[in-house]
Amino acid sequence: MKAIALYAFCLFFAGAGIGHFLLEPFFIQAMPEWVPFRKAIVYISGVVEILLALGLFLKPTRERAGVLIAIFLVLVFPVNVYMALTPENFDLPPAALWLRLPLQVVLIWWVLKVRK
C-alpha cells in the first residue's frame, strides 16, 4: 500500500510540474502582477517539481527529495493564498481555491509519510 501511495504522489507531483508547461498562462496568472520574472518562475518551478518527483521515485534520493518537496510546498503556499483571496482572477469556484489551502497540508503529510 505504501508503494502505491509513493508512486501516486510521484505521478501527481510530476504531473503538476508538466502542467506548468502545458498551462503556463494559468500559472503566470496565479502570481501577483508585482512578482518579477513570472514566466521564468513558472518554468523553473515546473522543472523543480519534475526533478523532485524523480528524486522521490528513486530510492537513494527518496528521503531527501521528500523533505525538499515538503519545503517546496510550504514555499509555494503564498501563491495558493493569493489565489484564494483573488478568486475573480480565476475561472474556478472560490470554494475550490480555498480548499487548496488545507490540501497543501495533506500533500506535505503525504510526502513525508512516503519518503521513508
Side-chain angles (χ1 to χ4, degrees):
M1 186 64 154
K2 183 179 173 188
I4 293 171
L6 169 67
Y7 300 139
F9 190 94
C10 290
L11 285 173
F12 167 78
F13 212 67
I18 292 167
H20 283 69
F21 297 94
L22 300 178
L23 303 169
E24 171 205 313
F26 172 80
F27 285 97
I28 289 173
Q29 185 180 7
M31 289 182 277
E33 296 266 338
W34 55 264
V35 173
F37 313 112
R38 292 186 303 158
K39 189 172 188 173
I41 291 170
V42 167
Y43 288 143
I44 291 167
S45 61
V47 169
V48 167
E49 287 182 8
I50 294 166
L51 291 175
L52 286 173
L54 180 61
L56 187 66
F57 180 77
L58 300 171
K59 192 168 180 116
T61 55
R62 183 168 298 149
E63 184 138 353
R64 179 171 283 155
V67 171
L68 291 173
I69 290 171
I71 292 168
F72 181 86
L73 290 170
V74 169
L75 293 174
V76 299
F77 188 75
V79 172
N80 293 340
V81 172
Y82 171 77
M83 291 178 71
L85 293 174
T86 58
E88 65 279 0
N89 295 338
F90 306 98
D91 196 20
L92 294 167
L97 297 172
W98 283 100
L99 285 173
R100 290 181 66 201
L101 301 178
L103 175 62
Q104 208 76 349
V105 175
V106 172
L107 292 174
I108 292 168
W109 171 83
W110 184 4
V111 74
L112 292 176
K113 288 300 258 185
V114 299
R115 74 184 167 94
K116 296 180 181 178

Short mmCIF file of all heavy atoms in Angstrom, two decimals, residues 26-74:
data_model
loop_
_atom_site.label_atom_id
_atom_site.label_comp_id
_atom_site.label_asym_id
_atom_site.label_seq_id
_atom_site.Cartn_x
_atom_site.Cartn_y
_atom_site.Cartn_z
N PHE A 26 -2.13 29.99 -16.92
CA PHE A 26 -2.79 29.84 -15.62
C PHE A 26 -1.80 30.06 -14.49
O PHE A 26 -2.08 30.77 -13.52
CB PHE A 26 -3.45 28.46 -15.50
CG PHE A 26 -3.99 28.18 -14.13
CD1 PHE A 26 -5.21 28.69 -13.73
CD2 PHE A 26 -3.25 27.43 -13.22
CE1 PHE A 26 -5.70 28.45 -12.46
CE2 PHE A 26 -3.73 27.19 -11.94
CZ PHE A 26 -4.96 27.69 -11.57
N PHE A 27 -0.64 29.42 -14.58
CA PHE A 27 0.35 29.53 -13.52
C PHE A 27 0.93 30.94 -13.42
O PHE A 27 1.25 31.41 -12.33
CB PHE A 27 1.45 28.48 -13.70
CG PHE A 27 0.99 27.10 -13.32
CD1 PHE A 27 0.54 26.22 -14.29
CD2 PHE A 27 0.98 26.70 -12.00
CE1 PHE A 27 0.11 24.95 -13.95
CE2 PHE A 27 0.55 25.42 -11.65
CZ PHE A 27 0.12 24.55 -12.62
N ILE A 28 1.07 31.61 -14.55
CA ILE A 28 1.55 33.00 -14.52
C ILE A 28 0.50 33.88 -13.83
O ILE A 28 0.82 34.71 -12.99
CB ILE A 28 1.85 33.51 -15.95
CG1 ILE A 28 3.12 32.83 -16.48
CG2 ILE A 28 2.01 35.03 -15.96
CD1 ILE A 28 3.43 33.12 -17.94
N GLN A 29 -0.75 33.65 -14.15
CA GLN A 29 -1.85 34.43 -13.57
C GLN A 29 -1.98 34.16 -12.06
O GLN A 29 -2.49 35.00 -11.33
CB GLN A 29 -3.16 34.09 -14.28
CG GLN A 29 -4.33 34.91 -13.86
CD GLN A 29 -5.59 34.51 -14.60
OE1 GLN A 29 -5.61 33.52 -15.34
NE2 GLN A 29 -6.66 35.25 -14.39
N ALA A 30 -1.49 33.01 -11.61
CA ALA A 30 -1.60 32.65 -10.19
C ALA A 30 -0.70 33.50 -9.30
O ALA A 30 -0.86 33.49 -8.09
CB ALA A 30 -1.27 31.17 -10.01
N MET A 31 0.20 34.23 -9.90
CA MET A 31 1.11 35.09 -9.13
C MET A 31 0.71 36.54 -9.28
O MET A 31 0.24 36.96 -10.33
CB MET A 31 2.56 34.91 -9.64
CG MET A 31 3.16 33.58 -9.29
SD MET A 31 4.86 33.45 -9.85
CE MET A 31 4.60 32.97 -11.55
N PRO A 32 0.92 37.31 -8.21
CA PRO A 32 0.59 38.75 -8.31
C PRO A 32 1.41 39.42 -9.42
O PRO A 32 2.53 39.00 -9.72
CB PRO A 32 1.01 39.30 -6.94
CG PRO A 32 1.09 38.12 -6.04
CD PRO A 32 1.42 36.94 -6.90
N GLU A 33 0.85 40.47 -9.98
CA GLU A 33 1.50 41.21 -11.07
C GLU A 33 2.87 41.76 -10.68
O GLU A 33 3.74 41.89 -11.51
CB GLU A 33 0.60 42.37 -11.52
CG GLU A 33 -0.72 41.94 -12.10
CD GLU A 33 -0.68 41.83 -13.60
OE1 GLU A 33 0.19 42.45 -14.22
OE2 GLU A 33 -1.53 41.11 -14.14
N TRP A 34 3.06 42.08 -9.42
CA TRP A 34 4.31 42.70 -8.98
C TRP A 34 5.47 41.71 -8.91
O TRP A 34 6.62 42.12 -8.75
CB TRP A 34 4.13 43.42 -7.65
CG TRP A 34 3.59 42.57 -6.54
CD1 TRP A 34 2.28 42.49 -6.15
CD2 TRP A 34 4.31 41.70 -5.68
NE1 TRP A 34 2.15 41.61 -5.11
CE2 TRP A 34 3.39 41.10 -4.80
CE3 TRP A 34 5.65 41.35 -5.57
CZ2 TRP A 34 3.76 40.19 -3.82
CZ3 TRP A 34 6.02 40.42 -4.60
CH2 TRP A 34 5.09 39.86 -3.74
N VAL A 35 5.19 40.42 -9.01
CA VAL A 35 6.27 39.43 -8.97
C VAL A 35 7.03 39.49 -10.30
O VAL A 35 6.44 39.34 -11.36
CB VAL A 35 5.70 38.01 -8.74
CG1 VAL A 35 6.80 36.96 -8.86
CG2 VAL A 35 5.02 37.91 -7.38
N PRO A 36 8.34 39.71 -10.23
CA PRO A 36 9.12 39.78 -11.48
C PRO A 36 9.40 38.39 -12.04
O PRO A 36 9.36 37.40 -11.31
CB PRO A 36 10.43 40.46 -11.04
CG PRO A 36 10.57 40.09 -9.60
CD PRO A 36 9.16 39.98 -9.06
N PHE A 37 9.65 38.33 -13.32
CA PHE A 37 10.06 37.09 -14.00
C PHE A 37 9.07 35.94 -13.79
O PHE A 37 9.47 34.79 -13.58
CB PHE A 37 11.46 36.67 -13.54
CG PHE A 37 12.46 37.77 -13.53
CD1 PHE A 37 12.98 38.25 -12.32
CD2 PHE A 37 12.88 38.38 -14.71
CE1 PHE A 37 13.91 39.28 -12.30
CE2 PHE A 37 13.80 39.42 -14.70
CZ PHE A 37 14.31 39.86 -13.49
N ARG A 38 7.78 36.26 -13.85
CA ARG A 38 6.76 35.24 -13.57
C ARG A 38 6.86 34.05 -14.52
O ARG A 38 6.74 32.91 -14.09
CB ARG A 38 5.35 35.86 -13.61
CG ARG A 38 5.15 36.82 -12.47
CD ARG A 38 3.75 37.36 -12.37
NE ARG A 38 3.34 38.01 -13.60
CZ ARG A 38 2.08 38.19 -13.96
NH1 ARG A 38 1.09 37.80 -13.20
NH2 ARG A 38 1.79 38.80 -15.09
N LYS A 39 7.09 34.31 -15.80
CA LYS A 39 7.18 33.22 -16.76
C LYS A 39 8.37 32.31 -16.43
O LYS A 39 8.24 31.08 -16.43
CB LYS A 39 7.31 33.76 -18.19
CG LYS A 39 7.19 32.72 -19.26
CD LYS A 39 7.15 33.39 -20.63
CE LYS A 39 6.83 32.41 -21.72
NZ LYS A 39 6.63 33.06 -23.01
N ALA A 40 9.49 32.89 -16.12
CA ALA A 40 10.68 32.10 -15.75
C ALA A 40 10.41 31.30 -14.47
O ALA A 40 10.81 30.13 -14.37
CB ALA A 40 11.88 33.01 -15.57
N ILE A 41 9.74 31.92 -13.51
CA ILE A 41 9.42 31.23 -12.26
C ILE A 41 8.52 30.03 -12.53
O ILE A 41 8.70 28.96 -11.94
CB ILE A 41 8.77 32.20 -11.24
CG1 ILE A 41 9.81 33.22 -10.77
CG2 ILE A 41 8.17 31.45 -10.07
CD1 ILE A 41 9.23 34.36 -9.97
N VAL A 42 7.56 30.19 -13.42
CA VAL A 42 6.67 29.08 -13.76
C VAL A 42 7.46 27.92 -14.35
O VAL A 42 7.30 26.76 -13.95
CB VAL A 42 5.55 29.54 -14.74
CG1 VAL A 42 4.81 28.36 -15.34
CG2 VAL A 42 4.58 30.47 -14.02
N TYR A 43 8.33 28.22 -15.30
CA TYR A 43 9.13 27.16 -15.93
C TYR A 43 10.09 26.52 -14.94
O TYR A 43 10.22 25.29 -14.88
CB TYR A 43 9.89 27.70 -17.13
CG TYR A 43 9.02 28.01 -18.33
CD1 TYR A 43 9.28 29.11 -19.13
CD2 TYR A 43 7.94 27.20 -18.66
CE1 TYR A 43 8.50 29.39 -20.24
CE2 TYR A 43 7.15 27.47 -19.76
CZ TYR A 43 7.43 28.57 -20.54
OH TYR A 43 6.65 28.85 -21.64
N ILE A 44 10.77 27.33 -14.16
CA ILE A 44 11.74 26.79 -13.20
C ILE A 44 11.03 25.93 -12.16
O ILE A 44 11.50 24.83 -11.84
CB ILE A 44 12.54 27.94 -12.54
CG1 ILE A 44 13.46 28.58 -13.57
CG2 ILE A 44 13.33 27.43 -11.34
CD1 ILE A 44 14.07 29.90 -13.13
N SER A 45 9.91 26.40 -11.64
CA SER A 45 9.20 25.60 -10.64
C SER A 45 8.65 24.31 -11.25
O SER A 45 8.60 23.28 -10.58
CB SER A 45 8.08 26.42 -9.98
OG SER A 45 7.13 26.85 -10.91
N GLY A 46 8.28 24.34 -12.52
CA GLY A 46 7.85 23.11 -13.19
C GLY A 46 8.98 22.10 -13.28
O GLY A 46 8.80 20.91 -12.99
N VAL A 47 10.16 22.57 -13.66
CA VAL A 47 11.33 21.69 -13.73
C VAL A 47 11.66 21.14 -12.34
O VAL A 47 11.93 19.95 -12.17
CB VAL A 47 12.54 22.43 -14.34
CG1 VAL A 47 13.82 21.62 -14.17
CG2 VAL A 47 12.29 22.73 -15.80
N VAL A 48 11.61 22.01 -11.34
CA VAL A 48 11.89 21.59 -9.96
C VAL A 48 10.91 20.49 -9.53
O VAL A 48 11.32 19.48 -8.94
CB VAL A 48 11.87 22.79 -9.00
CG1 VAL A 48 11.85 22.36 -7.55
CG2 VAL A 48 13.05 23.71 -9.27
N GLU A 49 9.65 20.67 -9.82
CA GLU A 49 8.66 19.67 -9.43
C GLU A 49 8.92 18.33 -10.12
O GLU A 49 8.83 17.27 -9.48
CB GLU A 49 7.24 20.16 -9.74
CG GLU A 49 6.79 21.24 -8.78
CD GLU A 49 5.38 21.72 -9.03
OE1 GLU A 49 4.65 21.12 -9.85
OE2 GLU A 49 4.99 22.72 -8.41
N ILE A 50 9.25 18.36 -11.38
CA ILE A 50 9.54 17.12 -12.11
C ILE A 50 10.78 16.44 -11.52
O ILE A 50 10.79 15.22 -11.27
CB ILE A 50 9.71 17.39 -13.62
CG1 ILE A 50 8.37 17.85 -14.22
CG2 ILE A 50 10.24 16.16 -14.34
CD1 ILE A 50 8.49 18.48 -15.59
N LEU A 51 11.84 17.21 -11.28
CA LEU A 51 13.07 16.64 -10.72
C LEU A 51 12.85 16.10 -9.30
O LEU A 51 13.38 15.03 -8.95
CB LEU A 51 14.19 17.67 -10.74
CG LEU A 51 14.72 18.06 -12.11
CD1 LEU A 51 15.74 19.18 -12.00
CD2 LEU A 51 15.30 16.85 -12.84
N LEU A 52 12.09 16.81 -8.50
CA LEU A 52 11.81 16.33 -7.15
C LEU A 52 10.96 15.06 -7.18
O LEU A 52 11.17 14.16 -6.36
CB LEU A 52 11.12 17.42 -6.32
CG LEU A 52 12.02 18.57 -5.86
CD1 LEU A 52 11.20 19.66 -5.19
CD2 LEU A 52 13.11 18.06 -4.93
N ALA A 53 10.02 14.99 -8.10
CA ALA A 53 9.22 13.75 -8.24
C ALA A 53 10.12 12.58 -8.61
O ALA A 53 9.98 11.48 -8.07
CB ALA A 53 8.12 13.95 -9.28
N LEU A 54 11.05 12.81 -9.51
CA LEU A 54 12.00 11.77 -9.89
C LEU A 54 12.88 11.39 -8.70
O LEU A 54 13.12 10.21 -8.45
CB LEU A 54 12.87 12.25 -11.06
CG LEU A 54 13.92 11.27 -11.57
CD1 LEU A 54 13.28 9.99 -12.08
CD2 LEU A 54 14.76 11.91 -12.66
N GLY A 55 13.34 12.38 -7.94
CA GLY A 55 14.13 12.11 -6.75
C GLY A 55 13.37 11.31 -5.71
O GLY A 55 13.93 10.44 -5.05
N LEU A 56 12.08 11.56 -5.58
CA LEU A 56 11.25 10.80 -4.65
C LEU A 56 11.06 9.37 -5.13
O LEU A 56 11.01 8.44 -4.34
CB LEU A 56 9.89 11.50 -4.47
CG LEU A 56 8.96 10.93 -3.41
CD1 LEU A 56 9.56 11.12 -2.01
CD2 LEU A 56 7.59 11.59 -3.50
N PHE A 57 10.98 9.20 -6.43
CA PHE A 57 10.79 7.88 -7.02
C PHE A 57 12.02 6.99 -6.80
O PHE A 57 11.89 5.78 -6.54
CB PHE A 57 10.50 8.03 -8.52
CG PHE A 57 10.28 6.74 -9.23
CD1 PHE A 57 9.09 6.05 -9.12
CD2 PHE A 57 11.29 6.20 -10.01
CE1 PHE A 57 8.89 4.85 -9.78
CE2 PHE A 57 11.11 4.99 -10.68
CZ PHE A 57 9.90 4.32 -10.56
N LEU A 58 13.20 7.57 -6.86
CA LEU A 58 14.44 6.80 -6.74
C LEU A 58 14.81 6.60 -5.28
O LEU A 58 14.91 7.56 -4.51
CB LEU A 58 15.57 7.52 -7.48
CG LEU A 58 15.34 7.74 -8.98
CD1 LEU A 58 16.42 8.65 -9.55
CD2 LEU A 58 15.30 6.41 -9.70
N LYS A 59 15.01 5.37 -4.90
CA LYS A 59 15.27 5.03 -3.50
C LYS A 59 16.46 5.77 -2.88
O LYS A 59 16.35 6.25 -1.75
CB LYS A 59 15.44 3.52 -3.35
CG LYS A 59 15.41 3.07 -1.92
CD LYS A 59 15.30 1.57 -1.81
CE LYS A 59 15.29 1.21 -0.35
NZ LYS A 59 14.09 0.61 0.10
N PRO A 60 17.60 5.90 -3.58
CA PRO A 60 18.74 6.57 -2.94
C PRO A 60 18.49 8.04 -2.58
O PRO A 60 19.12 8.57 -1.67
CB PRO A 60 19.86 6.47 -3.98
CG PRO A 60 19.47 5.35 -4.88
CD PRO A 60 17.96 5.33 -4.89
N THR A 61 17.59 8.70 -3.28
CA THR A 61 17.34 10.12 -3.03
C THR A 61 15.95 10.38 -2.43
O THR A 61 15.57 11.53 -2.24
CB THR A 61 17.46 10.91 -4.35
OG1 THR A 61 16.59 10.34 -5.33
CG2 THR A 61 18.90 10.89 -4.86
N ARG A 62 15.24 9.33 -2.13
CA ARG A 62 13.84 9.45 -1.69
C ARG A 62 13.67 10.31 -0.45
O ARG A 62 12.83 11.22 -0.42
CB ARG A 62 13.25 8.06 -1.46
CG ARG A 62 11.78 8.09 -1.08
CD ARG A 62 11.18 6.71 -1.15
NE ARG A 62 11.26 6.25 -2.54
CZ ARG A 62 11.39 4.97 -2.88
NH1 ARG A 62 11.42 4.04 -1.96
NH2 ARG A 62 11.47 4.63 -4.15
N GLU A 63 14.44 10.04 0.57
CA GLU A 63 14.24 10.76 1.84
C GLU A 63 14.53 12.25 1.67
O GLU A 63 13.74 13.10 2.08
CB GLU A 63 15.12 10.17 2.94
CG GLU A 63 14.85 10.84 4.25
CD GLU A 63 14.78 9.89 5.42
OE1 GLU A 63 14.79 8.67 5.22
OE2 GLU A 63 14.68 10.41 6.54
N ARG A 64 15.64 12.58 1.05
CA ARG A 64 16.00 13.99 0.85
C ARG A 64 14.97 14.68 -0.06
O ARG A 64 14.56 15.81 0.21
CB ARG A 64 17.39 14.11 0.24
CG ARG A 64 17.77 15.57 0.01
CD ARG A 64 19.20 15.75 -0.38
NE ARG A 64 19.99 15.62 0.84
CZ ARG A 64 21.25 15.25 0.88
NH1 ARG A 64 21.88 14.97 -0.22
NH2 ARG A 64 21.90 15.17 2.02
N ALA A 65 14.57 14.02 -1.13
CA ALA A 65 13.59 14.61 -2.05
C ALA A 65 12.26 14.85 -1.33
O ALA A 65 11.61 15.87 -1.56
CB ALA A 65 13.39 13.71 -3.26
N GLY A 66 11.86 13.93 -0.46
CA GLY A 66 10.62 14.11 0.29
C GLY A 66 10.64 15.35 1.16
O GLY A 66 9.67 16.12 1.20
N VAL A 67 11.76 15.57 1.84
CA VAL A 67 11.91 16.77 2.66
C VAL A 67 11.90 18.02 1.78
O VAL A 67 11.25 19.02 2.11
CB VAL A 67 13.19 16.69 3.51
CG1 VAL A 67 13.47 18.02 4.20
CG2 VAL A 67 13.09 15.57 4.53
N LEU A 68 12.61 17.96 0.66
CA LEU A 68 12.64 19.12 -0.25
C LEU A 68 11.27 19.42 -0.83
O LEU A 68 10.90 20.60 -1.01
CB LEU A 68 13.67 18.90 -1.35
CG LEU A 68 15.12 18.90 -0.88
CD1 LEU A 68 16.05 18.50 -2.03
CD2 LEU A 68 15.52 20.25 -0.31
N ILE A 69 10.49 18.39 -1.12
CA ILE A 69 9.13 18.61 -1.62
C ILE A 69 8.28 19.29 -0.55
O ILE A 69 7.53 20.23 -0.84
CB ILE A 69 8.48 17.30 -2.10
CG1 ILE A 69 9.16 16.81 -3.38
CG2 ILE A 69 6.97 17.48 -2.32
CD1 ILE A 69 8.75 15.40 -3.82
N ALA A 70 8.40 18.83 0.70
CA ALA A 70 7.64 19.46 1.78
C ALA A 70 8.02 20.94 1.90
O ALA A 70 7.13 21.80 2.05
CB ALA A 70 7.89 18.72 3.09
N ILE A 71 9.29 21.25 1.82
CA ILE A 71 9.75 22.64 1.88
C ILE A 71 9.20 23.43 0.69
O ILE A 71 8.71 24.55 0.83
CB ILE A 71 11.29 22.71 1.94
CG1 ILE A 71 11.78 22.16 3.27
CG2 ILE A 71 11.78 24.14 1.71
CD1 ILE A 71 13.28 21.91 3.33
N PHE A 72 9.27 22.84 -0.50
CA PHE A 72 8.76 23.47 -1.71
C PHE A 72 7.27 23.80 -1.54
O PHE A 72 6.83 24.90 -1.89
CB PHE A 72 8.98 22.54 -2.91
CG PHE A 72 8.51 23.10 -4.21
CD1 PHE A 72 9.33 23.91 -4.97
CD2 PHE A 72 7.25 22.79 -4.70
CE1 PHE A 72 8.90 24.42 -6.19
CE2 PHE A 72 6.81 23.30 -5.91
CZ PHE A 72 7.63 24.11 -6.66
N LEU A 73 6.50 22.86 -1.00
CA LEU A 73 5.06 23.08 -0.81
C LEU A 73 4.79 24.22 0.17
O LEU A 73 3.84 24.98 0.00
CB LEU A 73 4.38 21.79 -0.35
CG LEU A 73 4.30 20.70 -1.42
CD1 LEU A 73 3.84 19.38 -0.80
CD2 LEU A 73 3.38 21.10 -2.56
N VAL A 74 5.63 24.36 1.17
CA VAL A 74 5.49 25.49 2.10
C VAL A 74 5.81 26.80 1.38
O VAL A 74 5.11 27.81 1.54
CB VAL A 74 6.40 25.30 3.33
CG1 VAL A 74 6.48 26.58 4.17
CG2 VAL A 74 5.91 24.13 4.18
#
